[in-house]
Amino acid sequence: MNRVIAWDPAQYHRYADERSRPFAELLTRVGAVSPRYVVDLGCGSGELTALLAQRWPEALVEGVDSSADMLAQAPAGARLSFTLADIRTWRPVRPVDVVVSSAALQWVDGHEQVLREFIDALAADGWLAVQVPGNFAADSHRLLRDVAARWVPELTLRTDPVLDPTGYFALLAAAGLQVDAWETTYLQVLPGEDPVLEWVKGTALRPVLAALAPGRQPAFLAEYGAALRAAYPGGSAGTLFPFRRVFAVGHR
Ligand SMILES: C[S@@+](CC[C@H](N)C(=O)[O-])C[C@H]1O[C@@H](n2cnc3c(N)ncnc32)[C@H](O)[C@@H]1O
């Protein structure tokens, strides 16, 4: 991610339940018993990072994120620390027992190499656990690319920032890890008005809004919002918003 985009913790947390579930499900496949040092890459506002400290009472847990706005919300804890840094360049100073990254590496150009370098940083018996959204071909993103291409033609939105489970399997296995990789499509049911637009405002829309002059944003949002309403019509139960996520866990 070479662009500087602002993160809004309040907007991101509007769907905290849907966003925390994949983190929990990723961690079910990590078998570390009593790790001493755990790192959460792209930890956001850190409330999920704090769950790592609860799960492993002997561990020092360090969350790393490049957004000061997100880290400003991070919880305090005796064994919990947070570092403002870019995970393309930040590296741990000692071997790590568990490296976790949830919903962050899709923002990092060249994240495959970043993963290889964090695998090199794993301790003996170490674990790597990664989750990324795999929804870049979904209507929400396709429509965003289509509308944004007319409003901010200078902005290129990547169509394929992440790998499939087989890609992560190959990457982690080539680095010598035992691998468990899978994907899940969550059939999310979102409440309220324009919920898909509100969801995307918390994540994928941010680079587009950052590139648009504030005065042009309302008209852009009206056009994109109308396209989303047509693609994801609301029903009596709410708005169905299928969301594919890709998971990979490796053990040294
Ligand atoms: C969608 S949030 C995910 C937060 C949390 N891990 C979760 O599962 O809810 C993505 C986070 O990745 C961070 N991020 C994106 N690129 C980064 C980079 N190059 N270095 C560090 N953090 C980055 C953002 O600042 C943001 O807080």
Side-chain angles (χ1 to χ4, degrees):
M1 181 183 60
N2 296 317
R3 297 171 297 278
V4 175
I5 60 165
W7 283 84
D8 178 349
Q11 186 70 30
Y12 186 73
H13 288 130
R14 286 184 68 155
Y15 301 101
D17 186 42
E18 288 83 358
R19 297 200 193 277
S20 64
R21 180 174 169 185
F23 184 91
E25 293 182 359
L26 175 69
L27 268 294
T28 63
R29 303 299 295 172
V30 176
V33 177
S34 53
R36 295 304 180 108
Y37 182 33
V38 175
V39 167
D40 184 4
L41 301 175
C43 63
S45 48
E47 68 287 335
L48 300 177
T49 317
L51 299 178
L52 302 173
Q54 285 176 21
R55 172 169 170 183
W56 290 303
E58 294 170 22
L60 294 174
V61 177
E62 181 170 8
V64 181
D65 202 285
S66 55
S67 165
D69 291 332
M70 285 297 228
L71 289 185
Q73 307 289 319
R79 291 174 290 102
L80 203 49
S81 67
F82 292 94
T83 300
L84 179 65
D86 190 317
I87 58 181
R88 289 174 299 181
T89 51
W90 180 87
R91 294 295 174 267
V93 293
R94 62 185 190 281
V96 189
D97 298 302
V98 183
V99 172
V100 176
S101 184
S102 185
L105 290 171
Q106 74 276 14
W107 294 105
V108 179
D109 289 340
H111 76 284
E112 296 95 327
Q113 182 57 25
V114 171
L115 277 180
R116 286 185 199 97
E117 293 177 15
F118 277 95
I119 292 169
D120 287 345
L122 285 179
D125 198 31
W127 293 77
L128 175 84
V130 172
Q131 181 271 124
V132 287
N135 63 337
F136 294 87
D139 284 343
S140 52
H141 283 63
R142 184 181 56 74
L143 292 167
L144 178 59
R145 287 191 294 270
D146 288 353
V147 178
R150 274 180 275 111
W151 283 77
V152 269
E154 68 278 14
L155 183 68
T156 304
L157 295 175
R158 289 176 62 192
T159 55
D160 57 348
V162 300
L163 306 179
D164 284 335
T166 48
Y168 289 111
F169 186 98
L171 192 159
L172 273 56
L177 303 184
Q178 288 180 301
V179 189
D180 179 3
W182 71 99
E183 65 179 75
T184 299
T185 298
Y186 297 93
L187 185 54
Q188 301 182 150
V189 185
L190 303 184
E193 292 287 309
D194 286 332
V196 179
L197 181 64
E198 293 303 321
W199 176 287
V200 181
K201 276 184 188 171
T203 51
L205 247 182
R206 307 211 65 76
V208 180
L209 293 179
L212 269 173
R216 301 180 74 215
Q217 292 180 5
F220 168 84
L221 289 172
E223 182 179 335
Y224 178 48
L228 288 177
R229 275 195 297 282
Y232 302 96
S236 54
T239 299
L240 299 186
F241 182 39
F243 201 105
R244 175 176 177 257
R245 292 181 184 273
V246 175
F247 300 78
V249 172
H251 182 209
R252 166 160 285 166

